[in-house]
Amino acid sequence: MVGTGGVVTAAVLAGAVAAGAGGLAAPADPDEIWRDSGLRVVDRAERSDTECAPHSFGQVQQLLAATPCVALDRALFTLTDDRGGTIVVSVAWVEFGDPDVAREFKRVEDVHGTGDIAPLPGSLLLMPDVPFTAHHYDSDTLDGTTVVVAETEAVEGGFTAEYLDDVAAIAVRTPRP
């Protein structure tokens, strides 16, 4: 249905997002990223917490129990295209007080199967929970101490794996709530 993938990421990231010297920079209007890619945000939920370990699992949770975060912001939103396809996106901003701890967290988080930050429940968007597989995943570091983690899954439509990967690469640049 959709997706040559790399073309979407290159065009959108070049036009809508600039990488600054201190980390990621994003457009003032968060939905601008999605409009430029032919997608639109349908529904969005956001939550902030001061603890990360209770909202994680696996080795990621073990690391967060030993070296707590400073703040955790999470967002869950749905994107649709003009053909009725729907993608659900989970983004987490995990902030630490020390850049070395942020780097170690990203190192562990980036290994498939080591655990994760739990996504917000689908009920916040009046939909069933979506099982995120972490196969369509991206992460980056914002201003040295915040690790941004994005995952995507198709809900409806024939999105290719490459396209979902590209959407995760764009989602990781979503402005923090």
Side-chain angles (χ1 to χ4, degrees), residues 27-33 35 175:
D29 177 4
D31 293 337
E32 179 182 335
I33 294 171
R35 281 192 302 271

Side-chain angles (χ1 to χ4, degrees), residues 77-162:
F77 54 95
T78 54
L79 301 169
T80 61
D81 65 11
D82 60 0
R83 297 179 183 162
T86 303
I87 298 170
V88 65
V89 180
S90 174
V91 182
W93 295 262
V94 186
E95 184 178 347
F96 297 93
D98 180 341
D100 290 336
V101 175
R103 278 191 293 280
E104 177 61 10
F105 171 80
K106 185 176 183 319
R107 186 191 68 73
V108 172
E109 174 70 29
D110 284 349
V111 177
H112 192 269
T114 58
D116 206 350
I117 297 294
L120 290 173
S123 61
L124 294 173
L125 301 180
L126 303 176
M127 64 186 289
D129 285 345
V130 172
F132 284 90
T133 63
H135 291 295
H136 314 294
Y137 167 93
D138 201 357
S139 73
D140 213 332
T141 304
L142 177 67
D143 61 28
T145 57
T146 301
V147 177
V148 186
V149 177
E151 296 182 53
T152 65
E153 294 293 338
V155 176
E156 292 181 40
F159 297 102
T160 66
E162 183 180 29

